[in-house]
Amino acid sequence: MPSNVEVKARVCDLDFLAQRAKELSGSDGTVIKQQDTFFTVARGRLKLRDFLDGSGQLIFYERPDMDGPKLSNYSITPTNDPEGLRRVLSDALGQVGQVKKERRLYMVGQTRVHVDCVEGLGNFMELEVVMKENQSTEEGATIANQLMQDLGVKKEHLIEGAYMDLLLAKGLQNGH
């Protein structure tokens, strides 16, 4: 199963973070609109990511809910019928809720830097250090910690869990 080391944090200064990500990646980033539907499963998380253009991805992942760098194992498959798949999975498993976001993706080395505007929650930054075959979790965490420093992300802004968890805690199952 592929893995990455992830970090998620609240963003206090969106302009500064976006500028630093642009400088570090050497690009303007790619804007991606996403609607994630989470389904009820016995372990891990199962979400259907709808890119709102007729394409999507079904993603299963497991990672500990803690702040700071953490290892996430995942499997993913594309779909050309996200709406149909959402209906079937909702009928079969039940929905936990939905997360709607606009994401700007920057690549910095082997790390995906996401600058996210999440409906109902605000602005966040997510780092995903895509692990190479023989790389240790510690190496991934070192890369993530260095990038956090380079982006001006402070430890007190780190969050644990998924956006879905934050929405549920606010009583916002569907992003609003």
Side-chain angles (χ1 to χ4, degrees):
M1 193 178 274
S3 64
N4 56 38
V5 170
E6 293 189 17
V7 176
K8 198 174 288 191
R10 292 189 184 283
V11 172
C12 297
D13 187 341
L14 184 64
D15 293 336
F16 175 80
L17 179 74
Q19 183 59 39
R20 289 295 294 141
K22 185 175 174 176
E23 290 167 7
L24 292 166
S25 69
S27 79
D28 289 332
T30 304
V31 175
I32 308 164
K33 291 184 188 292
Q34 300 175 343
Q35 179 174 296
D36 292 344
T37 303
F38 285 78
F39 301 96
T40 307
V41 291
R43 66 179 180 87
R45 298 176 197 269
L46 181 66
K47 69 181 172 187
L48 176 64
R49 174 159 288 161
D50 187 338
F51 293 110
L52 308 174
D53 65 358
S55 71
Q57 299 171 324
L58 185 62
I59 304 165
F60 170 76
Y61 66 98
E62 293 179 289
R63 76 166 178 244
D65 287 332
M66 57 184 214
D67 64 16
K70 53 199 155 281
L71 186 67
S72 177
N73 294 305
Y74 60 92
S75 52
I76 188 167
T77 189
T79 179
N80 291 322
D81 184 14
E83 188 52 45
L85 191 53
R86 179 182 3 270
R87 279 194 305 274
V88 170
L89 289 170
S90 295
D91 289 348
L93 302 173
Q95 276 188 31
V96 174
Q98 290 185 329
V99 176
K100 297 172 185 171
K101 64 182 174 279
E102 183 171 292
R103 165 169 280 179
R104 187 173 289 269
L105 166 65
Y106 302 89
M107 287 302 301
V108 179
Q110 71 190 76
T111 305
R112 291 190 291 254
V113 178
H114 301 137
V115 179
D116 294 339
C117 179
V118 183
E119 196 174 298
L121 291 178
N123 297 315
F124 294 85
M125 179 274 326
E126 184 179 89
L127 301 179
E128 292 179 351
V129 182
V130 181
M131 301 302 289
K132 296 176 180 170
E133 195 166 322
N134 293 315
Q135 231 172 359
S136 70
T137 303
E138 292 74 26
E139 286 177 84
T142 299
I143 292 167
N145 282 320
Q146 181 59 57
L147 199 45
M148 279 172 45
Q149 280 187 323
D150 294 343
L151 291 167
V153 176
K154 295 179 173 46
K155 295 241 187 251
E156 59 264 26
H157 298 142
L158 295 177
I159 62 168
E160 53 187 60
Y163 297 138
M164 188 73 253
D165 300 328
L166 297 175
L167 286 168
L168 289 170
K170 285 181 77 172
L172 302 171
Q173 284 80 7
N174 290 308
H176 42 253

